[in-house]
Amino acid sequence: AYLVGDFKLNPLKQGFEIANGKISVLGSWKVQGFPFYGQKVMYTQKYSTLQNSKTYTVRLNSWKGTMAVVYVNGVKAGLITAQPYELELPATLKTGENSIGVEVIGSLKNTFGFFYKSNLNKWIIGPGDWDTAPNALPAFSEYFLPDYGLFEPFSIVYFN
C-alpha cells in the first residue's frame, strides 16, 4: 500500500510517524522527512543585478538528483544532467530583477525501490531487486535510500 498526500515522515525506532511538513529549505530531502519522495522540488532565487548584455551561467554547487530543470522568469531555459552541472542562461534575461529557478528531480528508486538490500548501488532497478523483505520492521538507518536535494544555493556566474 502507498500513502499519497502532503506529509512527512519522522523516523521512529522501528517504522515512521506521519506528520505535517514540506520541503522548505536547502538540504537533504531524507533529513527533512521525505525519504521516499522521488518527484521534484523547485528552488528559486531572485537576482536584481543581472544585465541583458552579459552572458550568465547557472552553476549547481552541491546537489543530488537525476536531473535539474532551469527556469528564467518562469520559462524553461534548459536541463542540467551531467558535470560540470552548469547551464548558460538565454539572452532573454531582462535588465533588473530576474527570477531563476532550479527544479531538482529525484527518482522512483526511493518510492518503489529496494529498501532493505545493502551495498546495492546500481543506476537501474528492476523487479528482481524487490524480491526480499525484512523479518521485522527495520529502523530508518537500515533502509538503503539514495539522497536527493539542493544542498547549497546555486550560483549565477557571468562572463564579459
Side-chain angles (χ1 to χ4, degrees):
Y2 288 93
L3 297 177
V4 179
D6 295 328
F7 61 88
K8 72 176 192 171
L9 299 174
N10 294 322
L12 302 172
K13 185 174 182 179
Q14 289 185 303
F16 300 89
E17 170 187 59
I18 297 174
N20 287 327
K22 63 181 181 176
I23 298 173
S24 58
V25 296
L26 295 175
S28 165
W29 298 353
K30 286 193 310 188
V31 170
Q32 293 183 60
F34 298 86
F36 304 111
Y37 185 70
Q39 297 299 311
K40 53 191 171 185
V41 174
M42 176 71 80
Y43 302 88
T44 304
Q45 297 176 170
K46 293 194 183 289
Y47 292 89
S48 59
T49 58
L50 301 183
Q51 301 171 12
N52 63 3
S53 61
K54 297 188 180 196
T55 302
Y56 293 91
T57 299
V58 171
R59 178 180 297 153
L60 301 183
N61 299 308
S62 179
W63 75 292
K64 291 182 183 172
T66 57
M67 74 171 73
V69 184
V70 177
Y71 293 86
V72 176
N73 299 318
V75 177
K76 184 176 174 181
L79 303 174
I80 298 176
T81 60
Q83 290 183 351
Y85 303 127
E86 297 178 350
L87 178 75
E88 186 175 315
L89 294 178
T92 56
L93 286 171
K94 57 185 180 182
T95 300
E97 186 172 274
N98 288 272
S99 176
I100 310 296
V102 172
E103 187 176 60
V104 174
I105 300 174
S107 78
L108 293 179
K109 282 184 181 180
N110 289 2
T111 306
F112 300 116
F114 52 97
F115 305 133
Y116 310 108
K117 291 183 175 182
S118 62
N119 300 322
L120 186 60
N121 193 11
K122 302 188 307 185
W123 74 275
I124 191 166
I125 305 303
D129 295 310
W130 303 316
D131 60 355
T132 60
N135 294 329
L137 191 60
F140 178 61
S141 60
E142 295 179 49
Y143 284 72
F144 176 77
L145 299 165
D147 204 2
Y148 299 115
L150 186 66
F151 297 91
E152 294 178 10
F154 55 87
S155 302
I156 303 295
V157 181
Y158 73 91
F159 303 95
N160 288 331

Short mmCIF file of all heavy atoms in Angstrom, two decimals, residues 6-10 17-22 32 34:
data_model
loop_
_atom_site.label_atom_id
_atom_site.label_comp_id
_atom_site.label_asym_id
_atom_site.label_seq_id
_atom_site.Cartn_x
_atom_site.Cartn_y
_atom_site.Cartn_z
N ASP A 6 0.19 15.28 1.28
CA ASP A 6 1.19 16.23 1.75
C ASP A 6 1.52 15.92 3.20
O ASP A 6 0.80 16.33 4.11
CB ASP A 6 0.67 17.66 1.60
CG ASP A 6 0.46 18.05 0.16
OD1 ASP A 6 1.22 17.56 -0.70
OD2 ASP A 6 -0.46 18.83 -0.11
N PHE A 7 2.59 15.17 3.42
CA PHE A 7 3.01 14.82 4.76
C PHE A 7 4.48 14.46 4.74
O PHE A 7 5.07 14.23 3.70
CB PHE A 7 2.19 13.66 5.33
CG PHE A 7 2.32 12.39 4.52
CD1 PHE A 7 3.34 11.48 4.78
CD2 PHE A 7 1.42 12.11 3.51
CE1 PHE A 7 3.46 10.31 4.03
CE2 PHE A 7 1.54 10.94 2.75
CZ PHE A 7 2.56 10.05 3.02
N LYS A 8 5.09 14.46 5.92
CA LYS A 8 6.46 13.99 6.05
C LYS A 8 6.48 12.82 7.01
O LYS A 8 5.47 12.52 7.65
CB LYS A 8 7.38 15.11 6.51
CG LYS A 8 7.20 15.52 7.95
CD LYS A 8 8.24 16.57 8.31
CE LYS A 8 8.28 16.77 9.81
NZ LYS A 8 9.40 17.61 10.21
N LEU A 9 7.63 12.17 7.11
CA LEU A 9 7.78 11.02 7.99
C LEU A 9 8.87 11.31 9.01
O LEU A 9 9.98 11.71 8.65
CB LEU A 9 8.16 9.79 7.17
CG LEU A 9 7.15 9.34 6.13
CD1 LEU A 9 7.72 8.20 5.30
CD2 LEU A 9 5.84 8.93 6.77
N ASN A 10 8.56 11.08 10.26
CA ASN A 10 9.56 11.18 11.32
C ASN A 10 9.98 9.76 11.67
O ASN A 10 9.13 8.93 12.01
CB ASN A 10 8.97 11.87 12.55
CG ASN A 10 8.62 13.31 12.28
OD1 ASN A 10 9.33 14.00 11.56
ND2 ASN A 10 7.52 13.78 12.84
N GLU A 17 6.52 7.85 11.89
CA GLU A 17 5.33 8.57 12.31
C GLU A 17 5.00 9.58 11.21
O GLU A 17 5.88 10.30 10.72
CB GLU A 17 5.62 9.32 13.61
CG GLU A 17 4.55 10.28 14.02
CD GLU A 17 4.98 11.12 15.22
OE1 GLU A 17 6.00 11.82 15.11
OE2 GLU A 17 4.28 11.06 16.23
N ILE A 18 3.73 9.66 10.81
CA ILE A 18 3.30 10.60 9.79
C ILE A 18 3.01 11.94 10.46
O ILE A 18 2.35 12.00 11.50
CB ILE A 18 2.04 10.08 9.06
CG1 ILE A 18 2.38 8.78 8.32
CG2 ILE A 18 1.51 11.13 8.09
CD1 ILE A 18 1.18 8.11 7.68
N ALA A 19 3.54 13.03 9.84
CA ALA A 19 3.36 14.37 10.40
C ALA A 19 3.18 15.38 9.27
O ALA A 19 3.48 15.09 8.12
CB ALA A 19 4.58 14.75 11.25
N ASN A 20 2.70 16.57 9.62
CA ASN A 20 2.62 17.65 8.65
C ASN A 20 4.02 18.13 8.31
O ASN A 20 4.89 18.15 9.18
CB ASN A 20 1.81 18.83 9.21
CG ASN A 20 0.34 18.53 9.29
OD1 ASN A 20 -0.19 17.81 8.45
ND2 ASN A 20 -0.32 19.06 10.29
N GLY A 21 4.23 18.53 7.07
CA GLY A 21 5.52 19.06 6.70
C GLY A 21 5.67 19.24 5.21
O GLY A 21 4.85 18.74 4.43
N LYS A 22 6.69 19.97 4.84
CA LYS A 22 7.01 20.16 3.44
C LYS A 22 8.50 20.44 3.32
O LYS A 22 9.16 20.81 4.29
CB LYS A 22 6.19 21.30 2.83
CG LYS A 22 6.44 22.65 3.45
CD LYS A 22 5.57 23.70 2.80
CE LYS A 22 5.86 25.06 3.43
NZ LYS A 22 5.12 26.12 2.80
N GLN A 32 14.85 16.04 5.89
CA GLN A 32 13.68 16.88 6.11
C GLN A 32 12.39 16.06 6.28
O GLN A 32 11.31 16.62 6.41
CB GLN A 32 13.52 17.88 4.97
CG GLN A 32 14.65 18.90 4.93
CD GLN A 32 14.45 19.91 3.84
OE1 GLN A 32 13.45 20.62 3.82
NE2 GLN A 32 15.40 19.99 2.92
N PHE A 34 11.43 13.34 4.11
CA PHE A 34 10.88 12.84 2.84
C PHE A 34 11.79 11.77 2.24
O PHE A 34 12.26 11.90 1.11
CB PHE A 34 10.68 14.02 1.87
CG PHE A 34 9.70 15.03 2.38
CD1 PHE A 34 10.10 16.05 3.22
CD2 PHE A 34 8.36 14.91 2.07
CE1 PHE A 34 9.18 16.96 3.73
CE2 PHE A 34 7.43 15.81 2.57
CZ PHE A 34 7.85 16.84 3.39
#
